[in-house]
Amino acid sequence: MSQTSLKQKKKNESGTKYSKDNLETERRRDSEKSGARLSTQGSQEISVPKTDSRGYLVRNQWSRTSRSASIRAPSVDENRSKTASLKLPNSSTTSRTSSTSLSQQELPQQLSAQPSPPTPPMSLDPSPPTPPETQPKNGSRRSSKMHENPEAWAHGIVRDVRDSWDTQQPREYQRTPPTEWKSYAQRRALYPTQEDRDCVTDMLRKREEEDDDEAYWSSVKMLYEKTPSCSRPRPPKPKHAITIAVSSRALFNMVDGRKIYEEEGLEKYMEYQLTNENVILTPGPAFRFVKALQHVNCRLRELYPDEQDLFDIVLMTNNHAQVGVRLINSVNHYGLLIDRFCLTGGKSPIGYLKAYLTNLYLSADSEKVQEAIQEGIASATMFDGAKDIAYCDTQLRVAFDGDAVLFSDESDHIAKEHGLDKFFQHEALFENKPLAQGPLKGFLEDLGRLQKKFYAKDERLLCPIRTYLVTARSAASSGARVLKTLRRWGLEIDEALFLAGAPKGPILVKIRPHIFFDDQMFHIQGAQKFGTVTAHVPYGISQKMNT
């Protein structure tokens, strides 16, 4: 064979070889496009994608897969490694097929009919696995648009979702009717913050405290309304009132305490009073007189609600302040309206009489009464009656002697020095000359002023004050000067009784006065035997009493 024929033969062999290589390369490229192919019965080939344990498709070489135009295409060796690393899935897993393979519904039936080939070994590739891909609805291969331009593909999905939202019917929300609207405070209470909770807690606590206080005061108010003694009137102002100062021994019976003081001394007396401070004292000689004064005040307030010209009783005593507790308990027990106390602790209270603007001072101590008379204050020593008699509760009754009580002791001087005949001649001669005033003339004026207040309201017959003149004078011989003197003073006496020297006790029993003032002791003792409460006025030249 010639050299030319040899060259032609080599050239043909190389061309054949080149054509075989080209065919093999084309086949491999087709297999890369359609996936790994397995030989089945006949000439059918099926492509089996790689899946993980959950059945999701896995693509190897995620970092080497072409995701954009700037990345190079995979080589033939890479395609081989991918084809060899595919694993046949189970009948329950989902597989991807090419356009020429069987449909998705027929593939599990044919795979279950033939034995599964041995699983090729997994390739050791350090790159991360391919993320799972969703199975297309029509079983065809996923569109290459996702691989070529993923951003445009994502925007398309979003646009489709928005279009589906636009086509949906708008959802109708239930509106709250106006009757169920809540204020801001109510809505805030449903979603409170910690500060709100603290504020609400404080508000609730304060509200509970206010409710408790309100309930307490409501109960106290109800108790006060049910208690009659709670309607206590305020005492009048001293400059307008008629102040009656009463000692503790005149207001209450304190004979036992006085006996302990005289026999055992002051300390034992104090101890006795402290031990018995809850023991109520019994009424004394001035007790009924003070109760009658309070009744007059009550009647005056009914007619004149803003009246200040009232009786004001002051408890004036030389007892120690510790004894005051027992006195207060006794005053409250009997419902006496005595708000002013003067406890001098052993010192004489006479110095306080003018400070209290006293109009009348009643005491059981004759020495203190004498001191008050010398100070120009109307005073009297109280004596209780030997018998208990009934007293009028609706009318204050005060009986006065004439000479050395309402009037001066001028007539007594003439009678003692010149006898009764000269006395009668003197009174007839000076009938039109008014007598000088005595120590209790001011108290009679006070009573007359209050009587006129009732007369102005047409209450003369129902007046709660009644005055009496009970004198030993004779009406025919000396009575005219007495009545003319009262007329000149502008005073009215309700009843005048001229006894012409007769005893006064039986007459006073008929009158039943709350207090009878006289300057002579034998008249005091005579009235006291009949049960009349008497008050001795130590004024004049002849009638004095030592105790």
Side-chain angles (χ1 to χ4, degrees):
M1 188 176 293
S2 63
Q3 187 175 3
T4 303
S5 61
L6 292 172
K7 291 180 179 180
Q8 186 67 29
K9 186 178 182 179
K10 292 180 181 179
K11 185 177 181 180
N12 293 333
E13 290 177 358
S14 61
T16 304
K17 183 178 183 181
Y18 177 76
S19 62
K20 292 181 179 181
D21 294 336
N22 290 339
L23 292 175
E24 185 68 18
T25 302
E26 292 295 333
R27 293 177 62 185
R28 290 176 181 174
R29 287 179 181 176
D30 294 336
S31 64
E32 176 66 20
K33 292 180 180 181
S34 60
R37 300 181 182 274
L38 297 176
S39 299
T40 57
Q41 294 179 358
S43 60
Q44 293 182 352
E45 294 180 353
I46 58 174
S47 61
V48 181
K50 183 180 178 181
T51 60
D52 58 5
S53 61
R54 295 175 296 176
Y56 293 104
L57 298 177
V58 180
R59 292 179 62 89
N60 291 332
Q61 304 298 331
W62 169 258
S63 61
R64 299 178 184 178
T65 306
S66 176
R67 308 297 291 177
S68 63
S70 62
I71 303 176
R72 65 179 180 85
S75 62
V76 177
D77 297 333
E78 291 174 353
N79 292 330
R80 291 179 178 177
S81 63
K82 290 179 180 179
T83 305
S85 62
L86 293 176
K87 182 179 179 181
L88 185 63
N90 295 329
S91 60
S92 62
T93 59
T94 307
S95 61
R96 297 176 57 185
T97 59
S98 61
S99 59
T100 58
S101 61
L102 296 176
S103 63
Q104 186 177 3
Q105 291 79 7
E106 297 175 354
L107 179 59
Q109 298 177 1
Q110 295 184 7
L111 289 178
S112 60
Q114 63 181 5
S116 60
T119 305
M122 297 292 291
S123 61
L124 300 176
D125 194 345
S127 60
T130 305
E133 298 179 357
T134 57
Q135 181 179 356
K137 294 182 179 180
N138 53 4
S140 62
R141 187 174 177 274
R142 177 176 295 188
S143 175
S144 61
K145 184 184 292 187
M146 175 180 176
H147 299 280
E148 293 176 358
N149 195 350
E151 295 181 359
W153 177 80
H155 285 299
I157 294 298
V158 173
R159 186 168 54 255
D160 295 340
V161 172
R162 288 179 179 177
D163 293 341
S164 64
W165 287 352
D166 295 338
T167 57
Q168 291 180 358
Q169 295 294 331
R171 184 176 180 182
E172 295 183 357
Y173 295 93
Q174 185 178 2
R175 296 182 179 180
T176 304
T179 56
E180 297 182 5
W181 286 352
K182 297 181 180 179
S183 62
Y184 172 75
Q186 292 175 340
R187 287 184 281 109
R188 187 175 180 180
L190 296 176
Y191 310 100
T193 60
Q194 185 62 33
E195 296 179 356
D196 294 338
R197 294 190 186 95
D198 297 339
C199 293
V200 169
T201 303
D202 296 339
M203 292 175 61
L204 292 176
R205 184 171 62 254
K206 292 180 180 179
R207 188 176 298 174
E208 290 177 356
E209 293 176 356
E210 293 176 356
D211 294 341
D212 294 341
D213 294 341
E214 185 177 356
Y216 169 74
W217 288 114
S218 299
S219 61
V220 171
K221 183 179 179 181
M222 186 179 298
L223 179 63
Y224 284 170
E225 291 177 352
K226 292 182 179 180
T227 306
S229 61
C230 291
S231 57
R232 189 182 187 94
R234 298 187 63 180
K237 295 181 179 180
K239 62 181 180 179
H240 302 296
I242 304 172
T243 304
I244 310 296
V246 183
S247 69
S248 58
R249 290 170 57 193
L251 184 61
F252 299 110
N253 185 1
M254 302 183 69
V255 177
D256 295 339
R258 184 68 180 178
K259 185 176 180 181
I260 294 175
Y261 172 73
E262 293 175 352
E263 296 178 357
E264 300 182 17
L266 179 61
E267 296 300 326
K268 291 294 183 181
Y269 172 77
M270 293 282 297
E271 183 180 353
Y272 170 78
Q273 296 293 351
L274 291 174
T275 305
N276 297 275
E277 66 180 9
N278 294 324
V279 179
I280 304 302
L281 296 168
T282 57
F287 181 84
R288 295 180 180 87
F289 175 68
V290 171
K291 293 284 289 185
L293 294 177
Q294 291 186 175
H295 177 72
V296 174
N297 286 347
C298 183
R299 290 289 308 276
L300 282 171
R301 285 194 174 98
E302 291 176 358
L303 299 176
Y304 305 93
D306 299 329
E307 182 63 43
Q308 290 291 323
D309 196 2
L310 305 170
F311 292 109
D312 185 18
I313 293 84
V314 178
L315 184 61
M316 190 78 63
T317 176
N318 61 350
N319 274 298
H320 197 274
Q322 296 296 333
V323 186
V325 177
R326 188 179 186 185
L327 294 175
I328 292 174
N329 292 337
S330 300
V331 166
N332 293 333
H333 173 76
Y334 292 110
L336 301 178
L337 300 179
I338 302 177
D339 295 312
R340 294 185 174 95
F341 276 44
C342 181
L343 306 170
T344 60
K347 184 180 177 180
S348 176
I350 304 303
Y352 293 97
L353 292 176
K354 289 186 177 180
Y356 277 86
L357 304 178
T358 303
N359 297 87
L360 177 64
Y361 174 59
L362 302 176
S363 175
D365 192 342
S366 59
E367 294 180 359
K368 293 183 176 61
V369 171
Q370 186 66 42
E371 292 178 12
I373 290 289
Q374 293 176 0
E375 293 293 331
I377 299 174
S379 303
T381 306
M382 296 294 299
F383 294 94
D384 203 353
K387 296 180 180 180
D388 292 334
I389 61 175
Y391 291 89
C392 182
D393 296 332
T394 60
Q395 191 177 52
L396 172 63
R397 298 179 180 180
V398 183
F400 298 93
D401 181 27
D403 296 317
V405 176
L406 291 179
F407 313 113
S408 66
D409 60 345
E410 175 186 353
S411 300
D412 288 341
H413 279 279
I414 296 174
K416 291 295 181 182
E417 293 177 359
H418 304 284
L420 290 177
D421 293 336
K422 292 293 181 181
F423 168 74
F424 293 146
Q425 294 176 2
H426 179 270
E427 293 300 310
L429 182 63
F430 295 96
E431 179 179 337
N432 295 323
K433 181 182 178 180
L435 293 166
Q437 66 180 11
L440 266 71
K441 183 251 184 179
F443 182 60
L444 179 61
E445 289 178 341
D446 296 333
L447 295 177
R449 186 174 66 254
L450 296 182
Q451 281 180 318
K452 291 179 180 179
K453 292 181 181 294
F454 290 98
Y455 299 163
K457 296 290 185 178
D458 197 16
E459 295 281 339
R460 179 179 288 270
L461 297 179
L462 299 177
C463 182
I465 301 174
R466 194 165 185 85
T467 56
Y468 301 85
L469 175 62
V470 182
T471 177
R473 283 175 176 256
S474 173
S477 58
S478 58
R481 189 181 184 187
V482 170
L483 296 178
K484 289 182 179 181
T485 301
L486 293 175
R487 186 186 303 169
R488 182 71 63 87
W489 288 349
L491 299 177
E492 296 182 7
I493 199 80
D494 294 314
E495 296 185 23
L497 293 93
F498 297 91
L499 301 181
K504 299 179 180 180
I507 301 300
L508 292 174
V509 171
K510 299 298 181 180
I511 296 174
R512 290 182 299 170
H514 293 91
I515 190 169
F516 168 62
F517 295 97
D518 202 299
D519 67 310
Q520 296 188 19
M521 195 60 199
F522 70 92
H523 288 306
I524 295 293
Q525 293 175 351
Q528 188 180 3
K529 291 180 181 179
F530 287 91
T532 303
V533 176
T534 58
H536 179 254
V537 181
Y539 180 77
I541 62 172
S542 60
Q543 303 297 327
K544 293 183 180 179
M545 175 182 176
N546 297 322
T547 57

